Amino acid sequence: MKKFVAVVLMLMLALSACASAEVLQIGFENSLSEPIGQGLVKWQELLAAKDVDLTIELFPDSQLGNKTDIIDQMLLGEPVMTLADGAFFADYGVPDMGIVFGPFLFDNWDQCWKLTESDWWAEQCAKLNDMGIKMVAANWAYGARHTLTTKPVNTVEDLAGLQIRVPTNQIQTKGFEVLGATPVGMSLGDVYTALQQGTIDGGENPLSTLYGRKHHEVAKYLIMDGHVLNFTNWVCSSMWFDGLTPEQQEALIETGKEAGVYNNELQAEADDYYKGLMIEEGVTVVEPTEEVLEGFREKAKAFYDEGATFGWSDGLYETVCAAMGK
């Protein structure tokens, strides 16, 4: 009888522990096979190894809805997380964060990570937090964005007059405009047909997206300009995060950063892999010299004179450059 009572008590304790454990649901549009998905699996494993009664559940392929849906749940205090970036945060009421999507702002990934460790970044994250959005991890590379065209582009001058598809946001539209191209806002799903029919002359995205969408089948010239180093951020509800114990908060942030490093290694390998596949399938790949890139950067400087258009703080470009040591 005593043994039976002991077993019952153990079961009750186990059930009680399960009931008190926090579960964070991470929803995202990518698949688990992509570097981002594999990075999240690593995060899940790293957090599971911590004794903090906090676990991660993954919901790839938009199973929890789109980014806006999840952000709306977040603002209600739900235990959900998704990825977002500076352009999205700008639309949500922190306009200065949009600058990270400006053309040729970063020369290398180290500048990105230095910026996300700066006081300026902390100030922007505090503004997000006041809105109910907690920045948990900011060191995840999503990929350098390159330009794929139906006509050769070897220098910035070759972009003159080309109609380049961009996402339908003001920052990326203006970014290509200052480079001399004619930006065309268009849904990603329409790009293949538009390239095939000659409605547009090119598009831009990380290599994994360009290849995954098969755009290289109808546009055979790729310039590895890296005009935007696209890093992404994992955010959750400030209300929910504040309800965690200090140990849980620390564990979530620490493992998120560690998983970000793992993701970045996978992203670098993926870029080499997709570039190789494109070359094998007949794409002419241009890797611009430093002199050619400097020509792009000079043209891009005009973009940062448009701060008032985006609602930026005075002197934002100089502030951000100083924060990342540029």
Side-chain angles (χ1 to χ4, degrees):
M1 183 65 180
K2 288 181 179 179
K3 188 174 182 181
F4 173 76
V5 171
V7 170
V8 171
L9 287 171
M10 287 175 64
L11 285 170
M12 289 175 66
L13 287 170
L15 288 170
S16 175
C18 289
S20 63
E22 291 282 350
V23 178
L24 175 63
Q25 297 181 327
I26 301 183
F28 52 106
E29 61 187 1
N30 309 77
S31 70
L32 281 178
S33 62
E34 294 179 57
I36 285 283
Q38 289 300 296
L40 287 170
V41 170
K42 172 63 76 172
W43 193 354
Q44 189 179 46
E45 293 170 352
L46 290 168
L47 187 60
K50 301 281 187 181
D51 185 21
V52 291
D53 286 331
L54 176 61
T55 59
I56 285 173
E57 290 183 357
L58 301 178
F59 295 86
D61 304 310
S62 302
Q63 292 175 26
L64 288 185
N66 61 35
K67 197 189 310 289
T68 302
D69 293 335
I70 298 174
I71 294 284
D72 288 344
Q73 294 175 52
M74 236 178 252
L75 296 176
L76 294 173
E78 294 296 316
V80 293
M81 174 179 281
T82 195
L83 76 170
D85 52 45
F88 188 85
F89 298 139
D91 290 343
Y92 253 77
V94 187
D96 284 359
M97 292 189 91
I99 196 173
V100 301
F101 250 78
F104 297 95
L105 177 66
F106 303 110
D107 297 334
N108 52 60
W109 286 104
D110 285 343
Q111 289 180 349
C112 295
W113 311 139
K114 187 170 182 180
L115 182 64
T116 61
E117 296 289 340
S118 70
D119 290 341
W120 176 82
W121 184 260
E123 290 168 5
Q124 304 310 305
C125 291
K127 293 176 183 178
L128 274 180
N129 196 61
D130 290 342
M131 296 167 55
I133 299 173
K134 171 65 182 179
M135 178 74 67
V136 176
N139 67 319
W140 288 57
Y142 196 79
R145 301 179 77 98
H146 304 295
T147 308
L148 184 71
T149 53
T150 57
K151 303 170 185 177
V153 173
N154 296 297
T155 68
V156 69
E157 286 76 19
D158 295 330
L159 281 175
L162 293 188
Q163 297 197 76
I164 304 296
R165 178 268 171 184
V166 295
T168 52
N169 68 63
Q170 191 180 23
I171 286 177
Q172 284 170 283
T173 297
K174 194 65 182 179
F176 264 89
E177 190 177 293
V178 299
L179 295 177
T182 301
V184 179
M186 182 183 295
S187 167
L188 186 59
D190 295 330
V191 174
Y192 186 99
T193 302
L195 286 168
Q196 192 175 43
Q197 296 178 346
T199 307
I200 58 173
D201 303 304
E204 61 80 53
N205 250 305
L207 294 186
S208 57
T209 302
L210 293 172
Y211 186 85
R213 293 281 180 162
K214 302 185 184 301
H215 294 171
H216 66 290
E217 293 180 349
V218 286
K220 292 295 186 180
Y221 299 95
L222 173 71
I223 182 165
M224 304 279 289
D225 52 21
H227 51 274
V228 170
L229 297 187
N230 189 177
F231 65 93
T232 197
N233 317 126
W234 293 100
V235 293
C236 70
S237 163
S238 300
M239 189 189 312
W240 175 80
F241 185 84
D242 290 344
L244 298 176
T245 66
E247 293 76 19
Q248 289 171 327
Q249 292 176 351
E250 181 181 355
L252 186 62
I253 290 173
E254 178 186 299
T255 54
K257 189 170 185 177
E258 187 176 347
V261 173
Y262 177 75
N263 164 79
N264 298 349
E265 293 170 355
L266 295 182
Q267 291 286 6
E269 292 172 5
D271 270 1
D272 290 339
Y273 173 70
Y274 288 118
K275 182 175 70 172
L277 288 179
M278 284 188 175
I279 292 171
E280 287 176 12
E281 296 177 31
V283 175
T284 299
V285 176
V286 173
E287 302 207 36
T289 64
E290 187 60 28
E291 182 181 357
V292 168
L293 284 175
E294 192 56 35
F296 276 92
R297 292 178 191 130
E298 280 299 314
K299 278 270 193 180
K301 285 179 180 177
F303 172 86
Y304 298 100
D305 295 331
E306 300 287 335
T309 303
F310 308 122
W312 290 349
S313 302
D314 291 342
L316 179 62
Y317 177 68
E318 292 75 16
T319 298
V320 168
C321 286
M324 62 181 170
K326 184 175 178 179

